[in-house]
Amino acid sequence: MASEFDLIEQYFTRRPRRAELGVGDDAAIVRPSPGHELVISTDLLVEGVHFFSDVEPESLGWKALAVNLSDMAAMGATPRWATLGCVLCPGLGDGTSAPSESSSWLELFARGFFSCADRYEVDLIGGDTTRGRRGATTFSVTIVGELPHDQGLRRSGAQIGDDIWVSGAPGRAAIGLAHLQGKAELRDTLLSECLQALHRPVPRIELGLALRKIASSAIDISDGLLADLGHLLKASGTCARLQFAALPEAGLSRDAFLAGGDDYELLFTAAAARRGEISAVSAALNLPLQLIGRVLAGNAGELKVIDQHGLDITPARRGFDHFR
Amino acid sequence: MASEFDLIEQYFTRRPRRAELGVGDDAAIVRPSPGHELVISTDLLVEGVHFFSDVEPESLGWKALAVNLSDMAAMGATPRWATLGCVLCPGLGDGTSAPSESSSWLELFARGFFSCADRYEVDLIGGDTTRGRRGATTFSVTIVGELPHDQGLRRSGAQIGDDIWVSGAPGRAAIGLAHLQGKAELRDTLLSECLQALHRPVPRIELGLALRKIASSAIDISDGLLADLGHLLKASGTCARLQFAALPEAGLSRDAFLAGGDDYELLFTAAAARRGEISAVSAALNLPLQLIGRVLAGNAGELKVIDQHGLDITPARRGFDHFR
C-alpha cells in the first residue's frame, strides 16, 4: 500500500498554471487578479448517496470537479483554483464498495478529474487524503473563482416581470439514473445522452460568463428545476408561473424535467427586453435556452406550473433533498 | 429529521464579517485585500481515523477548524474565510458511531466550530451537507487566508546554518491519546494539558504572523516533529542535526516529543542572528520557543538526533501517515 504522501505525489501533483505555490506545502498561495472578487464553493460526493460503488472512477473524477464548476457558472465566475479532499476506502471485490484506495482506481479518478480541470483551466492547488471505512469513499472539492467587482449572478436578483430561462435539457440525468435502476428503458442516442448527463455533466461556464451583464439572477439545477427555482424565488422575494407549450423533447418525462436532480443546467431570470441578446448567446454557444415562465409578485418562493391547456399541473414533489 | 436546508439555516448560517455574500447562494463572494496573496488549505476529519465515535462534538467542532488554522499559521497568513463540508450519520446509541445527524450533536459541533471561528475572526461562508453511512461521519474544512505579497513562510526556505526552533510542548496530544487508550497514566495538570492539546489545539496564528520577516521556513507539526521536519528539509534540500540538553518537561516521553502527531505547534528555521528577535516574540506571546537543532548541508531530508551525552538516538519511526 502506497503512503499518503506517495499517493499525492503520484496522482495529484501537477505544476499549476497560475499559482505562486501549489501542492506540497502547508497551504497553496495564489495571487488574485486586481479588481476582482473571489467566488468560493464546496461540494461533497459521498458513496451510496451521490454515486454507487461500481461507478466508473474516471467519470466520477470528472463529475467531482464539474459539479463545483457548475456553482461557478451559476455565479458568472471564471473558475481558477481547486482543492480536493479524498477519503479512500478498501473494496472487497464483491462490488459492494468502491476500491478507491487501489492505485488503478485512483489513477482513473485522477485522469477524469484532470481532464475536467484542463478543459476549464483550473489548477488543483491542494488537498488532503485519508483512509476511511469500507463503503465510505468521499470526495470534497472546494473551488475558487474570480469575478469582476459586483458582476456576480446572485439568486436574489430576480425582478417582477422577468422571464425565466433554462439551459439545455433538464431531466436527462434523472432519466439516465432511472434507466440504470431498471425503472425506465432508453435506447440509442437518448440513452447515451442521458448517461452522459448523469456521469459527465458539462458545467455551463461559458453561459455563466455570457450572462454576467444580461441575467438578473441565476442558479444551477442540482436539486431539480422546481426546487432550485424555489430557492431562487425565495431569495428574490418573488413567486413564479411556469408554462410549457410542450415538453422539451420526446422521450423525456415531465416529472424528470421539473423535479429530476443532478442536471447542472443553469436556471436564470432576465428582463423581457434582453430576449434578443439571450437568443444571440444561445446561437453563439450552440446551446438551447428555453423560456419557461415569468417572475411574479406574491408569496416568496411560491410557484405554479400550467400546461398547454391552462391546467395547473404543479407537482407535489419539487426535487431532491439529502435529508428527506 | 430536519432537512438539509433547515440544518444549514439553523446551525451554520451567520452573518459574515467581511464577505460580500455568505452562506445561501451557489457560492460565496469575498473581496481580497489589495496587495495580498491568498493562502488556501483543506483538511479532512474522519470518524475512526481522526476522532472516535464518542468524541465531544463541541471539541470536535473547535478542532475541525483549528487544524486548518494551523496551516495558515505555518504560512504566516491571516485566516479569513472557511467552508465546511459535513457528512452526517446516524448513531445507534451503543456508542459505536457518532450520532452526528442528531440536532443536539450538531448544535454542539457548531458551537465549538464558531467559538474557534470567533476567536480567530474567521467567516464561515459556505459548505455542503449530506447524510452518510453509520460510522462514516466526516468533516472537510477549507480555509482561505491572506498574506502580503511574497511574505509567506514556505517549507523550502531553510538555509544551511539556520537554527531549528519549535513552539510549545510537542508530544502532549500523543500522550493525551495514549492516556485515553490506557497506554499511559496522567494526572492533574499534565492530564488536563494533554487532553486540551489533543481536543482543543491552539493554532499558532499570532506566532506565524510574528515570524513573517524572521523565519526562513516553517511547517506545523501534524504528523510528528521528525516527520514534519523531514518534509521541511526535503523541500529545502538540506539535512539537520537535533540536540537536546534535556526533554522539554518532566512527564513527557522523548518518543512522544519526537514522533507524536496531532500537535499543531510550529517548527521553523531562522538565521542564528535572529535569536534575539525570536526571544522577544516568545516573551511577547508568552509562548515557549525552543532551539532544538541546526540545518546542515547533506542529503535532503536526512536528520540525526543526538542526546546530551553525544549519543545518536534517532528513532526509526518518524511520525504518523494515514496510509502506513
Side-chain angles (χ1 to χ4, degrees):
Chain A
M1 182 69 213
S3 89
E4 179 181 352
F5 306 110
D6 294 341
L7 289 175
I8 294 170
E9 179 95 9
Q10 190 171 354
Y11 297 117
F12 295 113
T13 309
R14 290 208 189 174
R15 198 178 169 77
R17 288 173 194 77
R18 51 169 76 236
E20 309 301 306
L21 184 63
V23 171
D25 211 302
D26 293 289
I29 301 180
V30 300
R31 195 165 288 190
S33 308
H36 283 65
E37 294 173 330
L38 294 172
V39 186
I40 304 174
S41 175
T42 291
D43 267 307
L44 294 168
L45 269 88
V46 177
E47 182 174 349
V49 180
H50 303 97
F51 62 91
F52 299 120
S53 55
D54 61 352
V55 68
E56 280 181 27
E58 192 172 343
S59 294
L60 188 65
W62 169 284
K63 188 167 177 174
L65 182 56
V67 302
N68 271 271
L69 294 181
S70 179
D71 286 320
M72 295 293 101
M75 301 301 290
T78 305
R80 294 279 189 226
W81 305 289
T83 65
L84 173 65
C86 305
V87 181
L88 303 179
C89 304
L92 292 187
D94 60 357
T96 59
S97 64
S100 52
E101 69 172 30
S102 75
S103 293
S104 55
W105 198 98
L106 202 57
E107 186 178 356
L108 289 169
F109 179 89
R111 187 184 298 171
F113 187 93
F114 280 113
S115 75
C116 188
D118 290 342
R119 167 69 185 78
Y120 295 98
E121 299 185 2
V122 169
D123 284 334
L124 179 66
I125 55 166
D128 194 11
T129 304
T130 194
R131 177 181 279 166
R133 292 182 184 178
R134 182 168 171 260
T137 295
T138 299
F139 297 98
S140 169
V141 176
T142 298
I143 184 100
V144 180
E146 292 188 310
L147 195 60
H149 277 171
D150 296 323
Q151 288 188 24
L153 297 174
R154 303 181 180 204
R155 295 182 179 179
S156 57
Q159 304 296 317
I160 292 162
D162 278 356
D163 291 331
I164 301 173
W165 297 82
V166 70
S167 67
R172 288 190 180 188
I175 302 263
L177 182 62
H179 175 91
L180 293 181
Q181 294 174 325
K183 297 178 191 162
E185 209 187 316
L186 303 178
R187 285 195 211 179
D188 308 329
T189 312
L190 187 61
L191 174 59
S192 79
E193 285 175 1
C194 288
L195 292 181
Q196 180 84 5
L198 180 65
H199 293 310
R200 290 247 179 181
V202 174
R204 301 300 186 192
I205 295 293
E206 294 85 356
L207 177 61
L209 297 178
L211 291 175
R212 269 183 190 167
K213 293 179 173 175
I214 297 175
S216 55
S217 73
I219 191 169
D220 74 326
I221 306 180
S222 50
D223 295 324
L225 190 154
L226 294 186
D228 287 310
L229 176 57
H231 301 321
L232 184 150
L233 293 169
K234 209 174 153 195
S236 295
T238 54
C239 66
R241 180 186 164 109
L242 301 190
Q243 186 149 22
F244 303 94
L247 281 169
E249 221 172 318
L252 291 176
S253 83
R254 192 154 65 191
D255 281 357
F257 181 82
L258 292 174
D262 230 10
D263 270 317
Y264 309 102
E265 295 293 347
L266 291 192
L267 185 77
F268 61 96
T269 61
R274 316 307 291 265
R275 287 182 191 175
E277 290 165 86
I278 291 169
S279 293
V281 166
S282 173
L285 299 178
N286 191 24
L287 176 66
L289 298 176
Q290 192 184 355
L291 179 57
I292 58 169
R294 175 161 289 194
V295 178
L296 302 174
N299 290 337
E302 276 191 8
L303 54 86
K304 210 171 260 188
V305 186
I306 306 296
D307 76 2
Q308 63 267 48
H309 312 295
L311 292 174
D312 185 336
I313 54 164
T314 313
R317 179 177 165 274
R318 282 192 184 183
F320 185 72
D321 178 338
H322 297 301
F323 275 89
R324 282 200 203 279
Chain B
M1 183 69 214
S3 90
E4 179 183 350
F5 306 109
D6 293 343
L7 289 175
I8 295 171
E9 178 95 10
Q10 191 171 353
Y11 296 117
F12 294 112
T13 309
R14 290 208 188 172
R15 197 179 170 77
R17 291 172 191 79
R18 50 170 75 233
E20 308 301 305
L21 183 64
V23 171
D25 212 300
D26 293 287
I29 300 180
V30 301
R31 195 165 290 193
S33 308
H36 284 64
E37 294 172 330
L38 294 171
V39 186
I40 304 175
S41 175
T42 291
D43 268 308
L44 294 167
L45 271 88
V46 177
E47 182 173 350
V49 180
H50 304 96
F51 61 91
F52 299 119
S53 56
D54 61 352
V55 67
E56 281 181 25
E58 191 171 344
S59 294
L60 188 65
W62 170 283
K63 188 168 177 173
L65 182 56
V67 300
N68 271 272
L69 294 181
S70 179
D71 287 320
M72 295 293 102
M75 301 299 291
T78 306
R80 294 279 189 227
W81 307 288
T83 64
L84 173 64
C86 305
V87 181
L88 303 178
C89 304
L92 292 187
D94 60 358
T96 59
S97 63
S100 52
E101 67 171 33
S102 75
S103 293
S104 55
W105 198 98
L106 202 58
E107 185 178 357
L108 289 169
F109 179 90
R111 188 185 297 170
F113 187 93
F114 281 112
S115 75
C116 187
D118 289 344
R119 166 67 185 78
Y120 295 97
E121 299 186 0
V122 169
D123 285 332
L124 180 67
I125 55 167
D128 194 12
T129 305
T130 194
R131 176 182 280 167
R133 293 183 183 175
R134 180 167 173 259
T137 295
T138 299
F139 297 99
S140 170
V141 176
T142 298
I143 184 98
V144 180
E146 290 187 313
L147 194 60
H149 278 171
D150 297 321
Q151 288 188 24
L153 298 174
R154 303 181 179 205
R155 295 181 180 180
S156 57
Q159 304 296 316
I160 293 163
D162 278 356
D163 291 331
I164 302 173
W165 296 83
V166 69
S167 68
R172 289 190 180 187
I175 303 262
L177 182 62
H179 176 91
L180 293 181
Q181 293 175 325
K183 298 178 191 164
E185 210 187 315
L186 304 177
R187 286 194 209 177
D188 309 329
T189 312
L190 186 61
L191 173 59
S192 78
E193 285 175 0
C194 289
L195 292 180
Q196 181 84 6
L198 180 64
H199 292 311
R200 292 245 177 183
V202 174
R204 300 301 186 192
I205 295 293
E206 294 86 354
L207 177 60
L209 297 178
L211 291 175
R212 268 183 193 167
K213 293 179 176 176
I214 296 174
S216 54
S217 73
I219 191 170
D220 73 328
I221 306 180
S222 50
D223 295 325
L225 190 153
L226 295 186
D228 287 310
L229 177 56
H231 300 322
L232 184 149
L233 293 170
K234 209 175 153 195
S236 296
T238 54
C239 66
R241 181 185 163 110
L242 301 188
Q243 186 149 21
F244 304 94
L247 281 169
E249 221 173 316
L252 290 177
S253 83
R254 193 157 63 190
D255 281 355
F257 181 80
L258 292 174
D262 230 10
D263 269 316
Y264 309 102
E265 294 294 348
L266 291 193
L267 184 77
F268 60 97
T269 61
R274 318 305 292 263
R275 286 183 190 174
E277 290 164 86
I278 292 170
S279 292
V281 167
S282 173
L285 300 178
N286 191 26
L287 175 67
L289 298 176
Q290 193 185 352
L291 179 58
I292 59 169
R294 174 161 292 194
V295 178
L296 302 174
N299 289 336
E302 277 191 9
L303 52 86
K304 210 171 259 188
V305 186
I306 307 296
D307 76 1
Q308 64 269 44
H309 311 295
L311 292 174
D312 185 337
I313 54 163
T314 313
R317 180 177 164 274
R318 283 192 181 183
F320 185 72
D321 178 339
H322 297 303
F323 275 88
R324 284 201 203 276

